[in-house]
Amino acid sequence: VTFDDHILCRQTDVSLCSPVCGASILPDGEVLMELKCSGGIPLWMTEVLSREKIYKTSFSKYGTAYQTMIFPQLYGVHKVMMEGAGNA
């Protein structure tokens, strides 16, 4: 079980030697819990998760960063180019 509460994304200065910095891709107060099991999740853990109303979902760090940071920048550039082409 791992918990991540400070997942960052950046597009510049991406060296692993660079200081930790970037834009958060998780809303404030949200935590990503990841379960990794070689087989099935133990019954006792499924009972705890069900009791706490924690259910399986998908979350892609890369996909979320792309949707929230990269795609809007690309769309903004594309939109400006398309608007300019319409005026030509």
Side-chain angles (χ1 to χ4, degrees), residues 16-33:
L16 294 176
C17 298
S18 300
V20 175
C21 66
S24 181
I25 63 170
L26 282 179
D28 288 340
E30 287 195 14
V31 176
L32 176 67
M33 179 176 72

Side-chain angles (χ1 to χ4, degrees), residues 26-48:
L26 282 179
D28 288 340
E30 287 195 14
V31 176
L32 176 67
M33 179 176 72
E34 185 176 12
L35 300 173
K36 293 182 183 178
C37 300
S38 58
I41 297 174
L43 185 56
W44 65 267
M45 183 172 281
T46 60
E47 290 170 354
V48 170

Side-chain angles (χ1 to χ4, degrees), residues 52-73:
E52 298 301 320
K53 296 181 176 44
I54 299 172
Y55 304 107
K56 180 180 178 179
T57 187
S58 295
F59 181 81
S60 168
K61 295 172 190 175
Y62 175 82
T64 302
Y66 182 85
Q67 288 179 325
T68 59
M69 297 183 66
I70 299 167
F71 181 77
Q73 289 177 354

